[in-house]
Amino acid sequence: MEHTWRWFGPDDPITLGEIRQTDATGIVTALHHVPNGEVWSIEEIEHRKAVIEAAGLRWSVVESVPVHEHIKWGGPERSRAIANYAQTLRNLGAAGLRTVCYNFMPVIDWARTDQRWSLPTGGFAMRFDFIAHAAFDLFILVREGAAADYTADEIARARAFIDAADEDTLTALQNTVLLGLPGSEESYDLESLRAGLALYDGLTAQDLRENLGTFLRGVVPAAEESGVRLAIHPDDPPRPLFGLPRVVSNADDAQWLLDAAPSWANGLTMCVGSYGSVSTNDVVEMTRRFADRIYFAHLRNVTIEQDGKSFFEDGHIDGGSDMVGVIRELLSEEQRRAATGHDAPVIPMRPDHGHFLLDDLSRRTYPGYGLIGRMKGLAQLRGVERALAATMAPV
C-alpha cells in the first residue's frame, strides 16, 4: 500500500517537512480555499501539486472535492454544481491526479460530541456520545420533531445530561457540533443549522439516494474520460442524524452505489472506523466483497460502547474491527491487481483520527489530526502490513 498523510494545506500546523519524517510518501489534500461548488482551476491544482513535490512528496489523493448541498437536496443550483464538479475532475485528471475521495453526508459532515476525551494512558481521543448528541438535538438545537427519533429512556437521559452539565460543558458540546471538523467545509450557528436542516424537510432516504444517483450519472463520465477514480467515503457515523437520512452506511448502500453508475471510475473508500462504528457492519467481509472497487483506505478503529450507539476513537490496531483482516484483504487485492496488469495496483491508505499524545498536547492542531498520534498509528499499520506481506503467498 502507499502510505499517505492528510494535510490541510498551507494553514495546517503540521508542515510537509514534518510529514516526510513520518515515513509517509503521499499527501492527501484539497483546495479548501475554493468555495464549494466552484471549479478548481488547473492553475490552482498545479500550484498545490508543485508545493507538495518541492517538499519531496507526492499528491496521491484528493480529499475532497466537496459535493454542494444543492446536489444533495436537489436545489436550483444542482445542475450548475454538477457541471462544475465534472469540470474539476477533468482538471484534476489533466494534472495527473487519479483518486478523489468525497462524501454525500447532508448538512452535517462527520459528527463527534467530544474532541478531547481522556484516555487511561493520559492522551486524548475523539468520542461520539449518543446521549450528548441527543441532548444537543433535543434541548439546545430544539429541533422540531426530534423527540420522535429517540426512546423515552434516551430522552430522559438526555435531559439528565443537560441538567447536570455546567456552562463550559454545554459550550464545548455546541462548538464541537456546530463549528465543523477537518474535512467538513461548512460550519454553523444554531439558526443556520436549523435553516440547513429545513431544506431537507420531507426528504426520504430514497430521495437522497436518487439525488446521489443523479450526481453520479453527471460526473462519472467526466471521471472516466479523465482517468480519475471516485472513492466515496461512508457516513460517519453511519446512522441518521438530526432527522437526516444517510445513504452510504452499509454493504447494501455500497452495492447500490456501484450499481447506480456501473463504471470502474465509481468506487469506494474503505473507512474502517466509519463502517465499524455500527456492530452490524463486518468490515473485513466488506473489504473482501468490494476489493476491486476500493481505491482508498482510511485505517482507523473505534470501540463501540455498551449502549451500542456511542463510540470512541481507539488505537489504530485496537478497537472493535479486525484491522489485520482488513489489511490482509487489501494486500490480496493489490496482488490480484498486479497479476492482472491493473493500471493502479497500489492502494493508498492513511492513518486517520490519531490520539493526542506527547507533543500533540502542547501544539495547536485540528481535532483528530495531531502529529504524534497519527505517526504512531502509521508505524503500527506499516508493521502489520510488513508482517502480512512476508507471510502471504503470491497470487
Side-chain angles (χ1 to χ4, degrees), residues 267-284:
L268 308 172
T269 294
M270 170 45 68
C271 180
V272 177
S274 293
Y275 283 125
S277 60
V278 295
S279 60
T280 51
N281 283 336
D282 183 338
V283 292
V284 176

Side-chain angles (χ1 to χ4, degrees), residues 114-356:
D114 195 336
Q115 295 182 8
R116 287 205 170 199
W117 183 67
S118 296
L119 294 165
T121 55
F124 296 90
M126 293 195 298
R127 181 170 179 249
F128 179 81
D129 182 334
F130 183 75
I131 295 304
H133 165 78
F136 174 87
D137 192 13
L138 290 160
F139 304 117
I140 299 176
L141 182 62
V142 196
R143 177 173 62 88
E144 184 176 354
D149 293 339
Y150 305 97
T151 67
D153 177 64
E154 288 167 346
I155 294 171
R157 291 170 63 198
R159 178 75 263 177
F161 175 93
I162 290 289
D163 291 343
D166 59 25
E167 184 175 347
D168 288 345
T169 298
L170 296 179
T171 298
L173 172 62
Q174 181 168 318
N175 287 345
T176 298
V177 175
L178 292 178
L179 297 184
L181 294 165
S184 171
E185 305 299 327
E186 308 290 347
S187 61
Y188 300 92
D189 57 25
L190 289 172
E191 286 306 312
S192 61
L193 177 56
R194 293 184 186 111
L197 294 174
L199 296 172
Y200 290 82
D201 281 351
L203 193 86
T204 66
Q206 185 57 37
D207 294 331
L208 188 61
R209 266 192 171 184
E210 290 175 2
N211 291 343
L212 174 54
T214 297
F215 167 72
L216 289 171
R217 288 185 289 273
V219 303
V220 165
E224 284 183 332
E225 70 183 60
S226 307
V228 171
R229 290 176 172 80
L230 295 168
I232 196 167
H233 187 284
D235 304 323
D236 183 12
R239 62 169 59 91
L241 295 177
F242 301 118
L244 297 168
R246 309 273 251 189
V247 294
V248 192
S249 293
N250 52 45
D252 289 343
D253 292 338
Q255 188 63 61
W256 180 92
L257 176 125
L258 297 177
D259 293 341
S263 168
W264 59 265
N266 180 25
L268 308 172
T269 294
M270 170 45 68
C271 180
V272 177
S274 293
Y275 283 125
S277 60
V278 295
S279 60
T280 51
N281 283 336
D282 183 338
V283 292
V284 176
E285 173 56 32
M286 290 179 68
T287 305
R288 181 182 303 118
R289 174 176 171 180
F290 300 115
D292 66 332
R293 300 287 278 280
I294 292 173
Y295 299 138
F296 186 31
H298 287 184
L299 300 184
R300 66 180 179 89
N301 221 328
V302 303
T303 288
I304 301 172
E305 299 178 20
Q306 191 170 3
D307 64 5
K309 296 180 179 180
S310 302
F311 59 88
F312 66 91
E313 304 275 1
D314 213 326
H316 288 78
I317 57 174
D318 300 311
S321 295
D322 177 5
M323 188 64 74
V324 175
V326 169
I327 293 174
R328 182 184 291 112
E329 295 301 328
L330 293 174
L331 293 178
S332 294
E333 173 60 16
E334 286 188 329
Q335 286 186 340
R336 187 197 67 79
R337 293 182 189 184
T340 57
H342 196 284
D343 65 337
V346 178
I347 299 170
M349 69 81 159
R350 69 174 177 88
D352 200 9
H353 299 187
H355 290 163
F356 284 99

Side-chain angles (χ1 to χ4, degrees), residues 36-84:
N36 287 6
E38 299 302 315
V39 175
W40 293 13
S41 70
I42 291 178
E43 292 75 18
E44 290 272 13
I45 295 166
E46 291 282 10
H47 175 71
R48 178 61 58 83
K49 183 180 178 185
V51 168
I52 293 167
E53 291 178 350
L57 296 161
R58 185 177 89 91
W59 190 355
S60 302
V61 178
V62 179
E63 184 179 353
S64 64
V65 182
V67 178
H68 197 280
E69 287 296 318
H70 280 236
I71 297 173
K72 298 174 190 175
W73 66 269
E77 292 294 314
R78 174 167 64 177
S79 294
R80 174 182 176 273
I82 289 175
N84 285 354

